Amino acid sequence: SASCTHCIMQQWRIRRAVNLLVFQLLFLRQSEAQIRYSIPEELRTGSLVGNVAQDLGLDLKRLRSGGARIVTGENIQYTELKADKGTLVVNERIDREQLCGDMTPCSFTFEILLEKPMELHPVTIEVLDVNDNAPTFQNTHLEFEISESATLGSRFVLESADDADVGPNGLQNYILTPNDNFVLKQHVNPDGSKYAEMVLQKPLDREQQPHLSLKLLAVDGGNPQKSGTVNINVKVLDVNDNAPVFNQSVYKATVIENAPKGTYVVAVNASDIDSGSNGQVTYSFSKSKAGITDIFDIDEATGKIYVTKEIDFEKDKKIEFRVEAKDQGGLTDSSKVEIEVIDVNDNAPVINVMSFTSPVSEDSPAGTTIGIINVKDLDSGENGQVRCTIEGGVPFKIKSNVRNYYALITDAALDRESLSECNITVVASDSGSPPLSAKKTLNLKVSDVNDNAPVFPRKFYTALIAENNSPGVSVLSVNAKDNDENQNARVSYILQECEIGGSPVSEYVSVNAETGVVLSVRSFDYEQIKELVFTVKAQDGGSPPLSSNVTVKIMIQDQNDNPPQVLYPVQTGGSVVAEMVPRSADVGYLVTKVVAVDVDSGQNAWLSYKLQKVTDRALFEVGSQNGEIRTIRQVSDKDAVKQRLSVIVEDNGQPSRSATVIVNVAVADSFPEVLSEFSDFPHDKEYNDNLTFYLVLALAVVSFLFITCLVVIISVKIYRWRQSRILYHSNLPVIPYYPPRYSDTLGTTGTLQHVYNYEVCRTTDSRKSDCKFGRAGSQNVLIMDPSCSGTMQRMQSEKSILDEPDSPLESRILYHSNLPVIPYYPPRYSDTLGTTGTLQHVYNYEVCRTTDSRKSDCKFGRAGSQNVLIMDPSCSGTMQRMQSEKSILDEPDSPLEVS
């Protein structure tokens, strides 16, 4: 076996060298070179076939850059191209018998395809036979019935052995075991196949030897030699002198491929001159052609041959076999039958995709090659001529460059947004009648290029958000669409930098880069900012990125988060505010007006007023819309002097907020009556630092005015000092004295009918003593401060109500004495007519301090439109005017009076 293999390899090398020389002489200069190699079958995988690069004259770089590869229409790829080495090696086990059968020479062809530019180099591989198959018989036993009268030289055809190998390795000889009656004679058919016959060389004697057992040995020419055997049993029959004889040595016929079962093909005829049963002939297929009974059937009596199985022209173009005629005596004759198969267009073209590129970039120019296909038709003649087209209106076309090879190219520019995926149907049709066709659908995907910017569905986004929101709450969501795909369509949202109210917009809102959700960064206050306007940019993830902008407007909705604020009357810490109402007031008399505001907007700022608690509900009412407090009946003497009204102010929000104000009303015709009623309020010992600040400021202004009027002030002080010396050095008790200075002013409108100006004397060791006087006006307010008994102060009111420019400062006097208080009332009395105010009479009193007081101030105001009286019971007998708004104290036209 080793020596045989060595001989075969030597022969293969010699033939390969010869083939290579012929190739170099004939095909080397062709643009599409064709090479041929010869290799023995059954080579191991990886065995070298040949150096393709060297034989084709190609550089290894060309093989790699051109993507050199083997294209074949067969299912099995027997060879593999090593592009990096330029060699062709065995890829699959090659069985010559399986590949070619008994066809010689045996070869298979494929093409080596290179691209950029496209080159096609056919390669033919001849497979040399190796003696790897022994001759075999279809049957293990052969039965013969031979008459004893068989003439010498009678021939008996034996079953032919089948050897899959060819050439020297094929069937070479038959050997019959030695015997006295038969010798073996071998014959060669025109196709080169061999068959054997037994020739009778000695008459048979049934009585001596009724049965003969022989062996037929079939041997091939391989080294070592292989063989196959079959047992032959010969039964000797009684006398039959004549064998059947065919009237033709060769019968020829034609049959169309794919003929239906039972189709008549041809009839053979043989005759036997014997009579009776010895002359009856039966027909059968000869055993020399195995497998023929699967295709045809023969009528034993008539010799007619019929089709039993569809015949394929592509497998069997011509069928040859032998027919045997046998009489009843066992004598036989044989004849050859040749049947030619006629081709029918029964094979549709076969489309093989050699290469296909998917996806293809949408910016690929027209004419770009996206695929190479191969089309084959197994039929012959016009039935095998193929044309290829593309079905449908797609922007592609097909072009043939090499026989049976087609290039699929683009016919126009591609746009993924309008055609992201396309099915390309290639139709291959032959020229048969009727024509057959095949379709191959290729799914092409178009890859995206970033040629579309994100687009917002609208140009402007508007959203509402309630004030006092929680930070981080979602306000709205912006959304942009990008017609691209994957990363090119991945949209990111960016907040454009700008300023809102002097602060960066990022301090108010933020945008989620992935979802486009706009979030509030902090809580909004409608009273500070009403709306936010900013820009959001949508940017895709392409390279370079594309973007677009949209304007977002967020409007802050007001919430009822602010309660009403009462501007008037002002609620002081330790003082009691009192509105004076004369007992002669009529029904509908305006006592005062509650003034309140709400910094919210809309219905949240609509205010309503109502009485919550009142001393006498039947006496007063409050306007629900304007806050005016009026009498609802005539005031009588039975009504209490002290009236306390609790007014609640509510807004119209949901839920509503409210504020409560206490209004104290004094029902009296004179201040003494009021003072007596309000003298029992609790003391407040707390020291008011703000009041001190304003008093010091007022003292500074008064001092400046004193300097400008120094002469007048000195004269007045001397006069007042002489009048008060008696009080300073006296221990007598206080005897009230009412001065004759009385002014009865007939006023037209007011709450109180008289205006009283008092001078207050403080006798205790007080550190500060101030007395301020207000003028009569359209509104009088009495404030009782329990922290300083007997002290009258003017109430600090709302600046918008009390800010009158004609209220002057009259005087400021300091007293230093350790004597007890002896009231002294000067005879200064004035009766003023024609003034308009709440009180009709003005009383001017002088304030004297006899103790060792560090400071003693007395300020006088003139009759006017507003009088405020503060009663401070913590300092007995002292009456002070309440410190009012600076706008009231700083009036330039108020004269000064010194007492």
Side-chain angles (χ1 to χ4, degrees), residues 538-551:
Q539 178 175 291
D540 60 27
S543 180
L546 301 177
S547 62
S548 61
N549 296 337
V550 69
T551 301

Side-chain angles (χ1 to χ4, degrees), residues 214-226:
L214 305 174
K215 283 189 176 183
L216 179 65
L217 180 67
V219 294
D220 58 19
N223 187 12
Q225 198 174 50
K226 295 185 178 181

Side-chain angles (χ1 to χ4, degrees), residues 71-104:
V71 290
T72 176
E74 304 297 334
N75 294 329
I76 301 176
Q77 186 170 325
Y78 292 103
T79 59
E80 179 184 6
L81 178 63
K82 301 290 186 180
D84 54 341
K85 298 180 180 179
T87 58
L88 195 66
V89 299
V90 175
N91 186 47
E92 292 283 343
R93 171 183 169 271
I94 303 175
D95 186 356
R96 192 207 66 79
E97 289 73 27
Q98 180 181 357
L99 180 65
C100 300
D102 58 355
M103 184 184 298
T104 56

Side-chain angles (χ1 to χ4, degrees), residues 120 143 155 249 258 270 283 375 493 531 542 552 562 702 835 840:
L120 194 67
E143 299 288 340
R155 300 172 182 270
S249 60
N258 301 325
Y283 301 93
V375 182
Y493 300 93
E531 64 181 15
V552 179
N562 292 284
V702 172
T835 60
Q840 297 300 320

Side-chain angles (χ1 to χ4, degrees), residues 23-264:
F23 165 76
Q24 291 176 344
L25 293 175
L26 297 178
F27 301 101
L28 187 60
R29 297 184 179 273
Q30 295 185 8
S31 60
E32 293 182 355
Q34 181 174 0
I35 56 177
R36 183 182 184 91
Y37 298 101
S38 297
I39 60 173
E41 66 174 332
E42 304 294 340
L43 282 179
R44 291 179 298 177
T45 301
S47 299
L48 177 67
V49 176
N51 193 321
V52 175
Q54 180 179 348
D55 297 339
L56 292 177
L58 298 175
D59 189 9
L60 292 179
K61 294 182 179 180
R62 170 61 180 144
L63 292 178
R64 288 191 291 268
S65 64
R69 61 185 180 277
I70 294 175
V71 290
T72 176
E74 304 297 334
N75 294 329
I76 301 176
Q77 186 170 325
Y78 292 103
T79 59
E80 179 184 6
L81 178 63
K82 301 290 186 180
D84 54 341
K85 298 180 180 179
T87 58
L88 195 66
V89 299
V90 175
N91 186 47
E92 292 283 343
R93 171 183 169 271
I94 303 175
D95 186 356
R96 192 207 66 79
E97 289 73 27
Q98 180 181 357
L99 180 65
C100 300
D102 58 355
M103 184 184 298
T104 56
C106 178
S107 64
F108 62 92
T109 303
F110 57 88
E111 292 83 21
I112 296 179
L113 180 66
L114 288 88
E115 297 181 356
K116 301 177 183 179
M118 188 173 74
E119 295 181 24
L120 194 67
H121 300 281
V123 178
T124 301
I125 305 294
E126 181 180 3
V127 182
L128 303 179
D129 185 55
V130 175
N131 189 27
D132 57 343
N133 293 283
T136 58
F137 292 93
Q138 186 177 4
N139 300 304
T140 57
H141 292 81
L142 296 179
E143 299 288 340
F144 288 92
E145 294 180 352
I146 303 175
S147 174
E148 63 177 348
S149 62
T151 60
L152 296 177
S154 299
R155 300 172 182 270
F156 302 94
V157 180
L158 301 177
E159 179 179 347
S160 298
D162 186 19
D163 193 341
D165 296 325
V166 295
N169 297 323
L171 179 65
Q172 298 295 326
N173 196 15
Y174 291 96
I175 300 174
L176 186 65
T177 55
N179 64 89
D180 296 332
N181 300 96
F182 297 94
V183 294
L184 189 66
K185 187 175 183 179
Q186 302 184 48
H187 301 278
V188 180
N189 289 318
D191 59 356
S193 61
K194 295 180 180 181
Y195 68 96
E197 294 179 338
M198 286 191 311
V199 179
L200 185 63
Q201 66 177 356
K202 180 180 179 180
L204 296 173
D205 188 357
R206 188 190 64 79
E207 288 73 20
Q208 293 181 2
Q209 194 176 9
H211 295 281
L212 292 176
S213 295
L214 305 174
K215 283 189 176 183
L216 179 65
L217 180 67
V219 294
D220 58 19
N223 187 12
Q225 198 174 50
K226 295 185 178 181
S227 63
T229 58
V230 63
N231 294 321
I232 301 174
N233 293 324
V234 179
K235 182 181 179 181
V236 181
L237 302 178
D238 205 11
V239 176
N240 184 18
D241 298 330
N242 294 290
V245 178
F246 282 98
N247 57 359
Q248 291 180 216
S249 60
V250 177
Y251 292 88
K252 295 184 178 181
T254 60
V255 65
I256 191 169
E257 72 168 323
N258 301 325
K261 183 179 180 181
T263 301
Y264 169 75

